[in-house]
């Protein structure tokens, strides 16, 4: 797949300041951006955005606005960043993924994700580091759903999932 001259990055974080900062940095570097304040909004963008989306840059911890249950009949549930990546990749199989977290080791362990399986950007981050992660993701092949299935914290599609 050829990457467009101005690749699009979907930035997802529940902190508006982080979304705004990432958007500003990415656009200064020549990227096009889409933004979402949570997973439900991000999934709607993935489904309905008419153009391409090359990279999903998402926080790993995306608390729902209220206690919620994601089930197979809810197409746009509030889920954590890893599950968002899986659902987004099902919609757009050429999507590259970069996860962000303030405490990578703790968050990875909490979600049962193996370190090194996906790019993880630690917060706070330097501008150059974030841009490097995005450029590295663009130069790499998109992850496969099989790579996600091999993660111990991954649940099958359509399974019920409780959120804290």
């Amino acid at each position: 797949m050829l990457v467009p001259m101005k690749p699009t990055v979907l930035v997802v974080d529940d902190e508006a300041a982080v979304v705004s900062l990432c958007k500003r940095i990415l656009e200064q570097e020549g990227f096009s951006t889409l933004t979402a304040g949570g997973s439900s909004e991000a999934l709607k963008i993935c489904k309905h955005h008419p153009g391409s989306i090359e990279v999903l840059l998402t926080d790993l911890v995306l608390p729902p606005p209220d206690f919620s249950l994601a089930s197979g009949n809810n197409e746009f549930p509030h889920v954590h960043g890893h599950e968002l990546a899986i659902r987004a990749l099902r919609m757009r199989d050429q999507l590259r993924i970069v996860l962000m977290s303030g405490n990578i080791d703790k968050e990875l362990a909490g979600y049962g994700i193996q370190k090194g399986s996906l790019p993880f950007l630690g917060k706070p981050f330097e501008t150059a580091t974030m841009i490097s992660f995005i450029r590295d993701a663009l130069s790499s092949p998109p992850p496969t759903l099989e790579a996600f299935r091999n993660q111990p914290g991954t649940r099958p599609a359509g399974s019920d999932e409780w959120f804290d």
Side-chain angles (χ1 to χ4, degrees), residues 17-147:
V18 173
V19 171
S20 179
L21 174 67
C22 291
K23 177 181 174 61
R24 189 180 81 244
I25 291 169
L26 289 164
E27 289 179 353
Q28 286 174 349
E29 290 293 320
F31 293 95
S32 174
T33 59
L34 301 167
T35 60
S39 59
S40 180
E41 183 182 356
L43 289 169
K44 288 174 187 171
I45 291 169
C46 283
K47 178 156 185 161
H48 300 295
H49 179 68
S52 64
I53 302 172
E54 283 70 39
V55 179
L56 170 66
L57 173 62
T58 182
D59 192 16
L60 183 59
V61 180
L62 294 171
D66 294 310
F67 181 79
S68 62
L69 176 68
S71 65
N73 62 359
N74 182 357
E75 189 174 11
F76 308 115
H78 296 285
V79 293
H80 59 75
H82 188 254
E83 180 69 16
L84 167 61
I86 293 168
R87 290 172 184 259
L89 195 55
R90 284 188 189 123
M91 293 179 194
R92 294 178 177 260
D93 64 357
Q94 294 300 303
L95 190 64
R96 275 70 168 196
I97 310 295
V98 177
L99 297 173
M100 299 183 286
S101 176
N103 188 341
I104 292 177
D105 292 331
K106 179 183 174 192
E107 299 303 337
L108 290 178
Y111 287 105
I113 302 169
Q114 296 173 350
K115 192 169 189 172
S117 60
L118 289 170
F120 283 92
L121 177 62
K123 291 196 266 181
F125 50 79
E126 298 288 329
T127 297
T129 303
M130 183 186 77
I131 295 302
S132 176
F133 267 76
I134 298 298
R135 292 196 193 285
D136 287 349
L138 285 167
S139 67
S140 302
T144 63
L145 285 173
E146 187 59 35

